């Protein structure tokens, strides 16, 4: 490694893969874990204790749909007792009356609510769930009534990119402090559905202009985060802030990972919490150390002035497209295979029939799908 090992400050806890929605853009792995493989309450509480001891300051409670865990209030309370900031990432569908208030009472700090569309028909089509849009609106209202800060998350792809102005107005109408315009990143189920989800360049450029104008107009009113689409980028984003640099994630079965899609790299083996302590995994796991810092880098990354800005970009994307997790992220203009990104865009936009919702492979537990 080229820098001292930092303590992690952030953690993504995927409490379950179960979810009432079946979104085709989901970044969960295409082999989803069933409920009988999830860690129990005490194991999660033990993990959170060790995470706090290690220096973690914020935990994002995610899934799947984390509110399907009956012990969620207890998990939130455990983190709150250690002074750890908690953010609940939810689809907002099927939450029983009184639970949002119970989450707030347990110490929840923030709620992040996803909308598949700014329009009812889009939300129901993408999530493959009737009535979901109204349920989400009600969840947002209940969260605000409970005094919880609210972020609206809008995963953007070709089937809702024209709704970006409506997403902005929706977030404002719901009293959100923050809106995340998150262009879909192609891993898990999203990679399987890449051709059906990929927008065209004109739509992406138009979206960027709309977001920039809204940011300026709404300064001091609502923050708008913009997650740029990798396939249209010039330079890559630092994955998770850099591989195992200051954050990590835990899968429902306790597998500890540097990032969401790390298990797609076949040369790496990952460890489960309980087999070793969290500190042991963070400090000396071979998988965590594989791409830390800059010493592992090949050219052109090794000699690039951006090597400690983007930390080489996404290792999983390099694996998926270049076939080598140590390769320069193909999203980077300096990658020798950067042109493949434009080719993927062109191929996805060449056949209209393959870009319709009818071609979606919906996310379902028990269905194992190989990426296209």
């Amino acid at each position: 490694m080229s820098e001292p090992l930092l303590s992690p400050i952030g953690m993504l806890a995927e409490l379950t893969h179960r979810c009432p929605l079946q979104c085709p853009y989901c970044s969960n792995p295409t082999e989803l874990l069933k409920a009988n493989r999830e860690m129990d309450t005490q194991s999660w509480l033990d993990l959170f204790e060790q995470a706090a001891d290690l220096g973690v300051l914020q935990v994002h409670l995610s899934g799947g749909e984390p509110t399907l865990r009956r012990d969620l209030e207890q998990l939130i309370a455990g983190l709150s007792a250690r002074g750890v900031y908690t953010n609940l990432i939810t689809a907002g569908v099927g939450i029983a009356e009184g639970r949002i208030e119970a989450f707030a009472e347990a110490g929840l700090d923030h709620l992040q609510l996803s909308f598949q569309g700014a329009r009812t028909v889009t939300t129901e089509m993408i999530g493959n769930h009737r009535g979901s849009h109204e349920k989400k609106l009600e969840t947002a209202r209940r969260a605000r009534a409970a005094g919880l800060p609210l972020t609206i998350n809008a995963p953007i792809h070709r089937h809702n990119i024209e709704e970006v102005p409506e997403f902005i107005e929706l977030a404002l109408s719901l009293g959100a402090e923050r809106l995340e315009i998150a262009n879909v990143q192609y891993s898990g189920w999203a990679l399987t559905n890449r051709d059906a989800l990929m927008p065209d360049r004109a739509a992406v450029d138009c979206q960027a202009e709309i977001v920039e104008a809204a940011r300026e107009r709404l300064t001091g009113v609502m923050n708008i985060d913009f997650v740029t689409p990798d396939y249209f980028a010039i330079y890559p984003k630092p994955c998770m802030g850099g591989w195992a640099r200051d954050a990590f994630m835990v899968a429902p079965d306790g597998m500890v990972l540097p990032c969401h899609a790390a298990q797609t790299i076949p040369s790496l083996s990952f460890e489960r919490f309980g087999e070793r302590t969290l500190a042991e995994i963070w400090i000396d796991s071979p998988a965590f150390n594989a791409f830390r810092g800059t010493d592992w880098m090949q050219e052109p990354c090794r000699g690039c002035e951006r090597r400690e800005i983007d930390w080489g970009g996404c290792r999983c994307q390099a694996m998926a497209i270049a076939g080598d997790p140590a390769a320069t992220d193909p999203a980077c203009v300096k990658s020798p295979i950067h042109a493949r990104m434009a080719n993927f865009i062109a191929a996805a936009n060449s056949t209209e029939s393959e870009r319709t919702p009818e071609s979606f492979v919906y996310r379902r537990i028990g269905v194992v799908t190989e990426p296209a």
Side-chain angles (χ1 to χ4, degrees), residues 2 17 49 78 110-111 118 128 140 154 157 161 198 226 237 253 260 372:
S2 56
H17 279 165
E49 285 287 337
H110 183 273
L111 188 141
N128 202 27
H157 45 80
I161 195 167
M198 186 76 72
F226 184 57
K237 297 185 290 293
D253 62 352
H260 211 93

Side-chain angles (χ1 to χ4, degrees), residues 245-366:
R245 187 164 179 268
D246 61 12
F248 62 95
M249 68 153 289
V250 181
D253 62 352
M255 188 77 73
V256 186
L257 304 165
C259 76
H260 211 93
Q263 287 176 285
T264 62
I265 300 177
S267 60
L268 299 181
S269 296
F270 300 98
E271 298 166 279
R272 283 188 175 85
F273 174 72
E275 297 171 355
R276 300 180 79 198
T277 68
L278 202 54
E280 288 170 338
I281 295 172
W282 176 257
I283 292 168
D284 64 14
S285 166
F288 272 62
N289 285 320
F291 303 112
R292 268 187 170 133
T294 59
D295 291 347
W296 59 271
M297 291 181 178
Q298 305 172 358
E299 294 293 352
C301 292
R302 181 179 289 272
C304 180
E305 68 280 1
R306 293 181 55 85
R307 65 185 177 275
E308 294 187 7
I309 297 174
D310 56 41
W311 301 99
C314 179
R315 298 302 86 226
C316 304
Q317 190 157 259
M319 182 70 232
I321 297 174
D324 177 5
T328 300
D329 185 339
C332 183
V333 70
K334 297 183 180 183
S335 165
I337 61 169
H338 180 67
R340 290 190 192 178
M341 307 304 261
N343 293 340
F344 285 127
I345 296 168
N349 284 277
S350 64
T351 307
E352 186 66 28
S353 63
E354 295 178 357
R355 303 171 67 207
T356 63
E358 288 72 22
S359 66
F360 286 160
V361 179
Y362 282 107
R363 173 197 186 278
R364 293 184 178 95
I365 287 181

Side-chain angles (χ1 to χ4, degrees), residues 47-61:
L47 186 149
F48 292 152
E49 285 287 337
Q50 290 190 24
D53 290 342
L54 195 55
V56 168
L57 301 176
Q58 55 183 324
V59 170
H60 304 276
L61 300 165

Side-chain angles (χ1 to χ4, degrees), residues 13-258:
E14 288 192 338
L15 302 177
T16 181
H17 279 165
R18 293 171 288 148
C19 186
L21 303 187
Q22 300 176 353
C23 304
Y25 64 77
C26 183
S27 59
N28 281 152
T30 52
E31 186 174 1
L32 298 165
L33 299 175
K34 296 182 179 180
N36 63 358
R37 296 183 61 187
E38 296 171 11
M39 282 205 300
D40 62 22
T41 305
Q42 191 57 54
S43 295
W44 276 112
L45 290 173
D46 291 345
L47 186 149
F48 292 152
E49 285 287 337
Q50 290 190 24
D53 290 342
L54 195 55
V56 168
L57 301 176
Q58 55 183 324
V59 170
H60 304 276
L61 300 165
S62 181
E65 175 49 55
T67 63
L68 292 177
R69 293 278 306 213
R70 296 180 181 178
D71 58 358
L72 184 54
E73 292 89 337
Q74 189 175 350
L75 300 181
I76 292 169
L79 287 163
S80 180
R82 290 299 307 270
V84 176
Y85 183 94
T86 49
N87 174 38
L88 175 61
I89 302 173
T90 177
V93 175
I95 304 176
E97 187 173 351
R99 281 203 87 193
I100 290 176
E101 295 77 8
F103 298 153
E105 193 171 319
L108 183 67
D109 293 295
H110 183 273
L111 188 141
Q112 180 174 316
L113 175 62
S114 65
F115 274 83
Q116 286 64 47
R119 306 167 189 166
T120 298
V121 64
T122 309
T123 300
E124 294 185 355
M125 179 264 292
I126 298 297
N128 202 27
H129 191 287
R130 290 180 63 84
S132 56
H133 195 81
E134 287 303 319
K135 293 174 183 176
K136 290 170 181 289
L137 294 175
E138 179 59 25
T139 293
R141 296 184 189 108
R142 286 162 56 191
R144 298 301 290 125
L148 289 171
L150 176 66
T151 288
I152 298 300
N153 172 260
I156 301 298
H157 45 80
R158 71 166 264 99
H159 298 282
N160 65 5
I161 195 167
E162 67 177 21
E163 298 177 27
V164 166
E166 295 166 67
F167 275 118
I168 295 168
E169 295 308 313
L170 174 65
L172 283 170
S173 72
L174 294 173
E177 285 87 356
R178 177 172 166 267
L179 169 65
E180 185 177 66
I181 300 292
N183 285 272
V184 166
Q185 308 298 302
Y186 294 101
S187 62
W189 292 85
L191 182 57
T192 298
N193 288 290
R194 182 174 58 192
D195 284 355
L197 294 170
M198 186 76 72
D200 60 42
R201 187 168 296 277
V204 170
D205 291 344
C206 179
Q207 169 201 218
E209 292 176 4
I210 291 168
V211 170
E212 187 55 38
R215 277 174 159 172
E216 184 174 344
R217 173 170 59 91
L218 297 172
T219 299
V221 177
M222 182 175 70
N223 292 325
I224 302 179
D225 289 344
F226 184 57
V227 180
T228 56
D230 285 343
Y231 282 57
F232 297 83
I234 297 175
Y235 295 114
K237 297 185 290 293
C239 177
M240 295 281 288
W243 180 276
R245 187 164 179 268
D246 61 12
F248 62 95
M249 68 153 289
V250 181
D253 62 352
M255 188 77 73
V256 186
L257 304 165

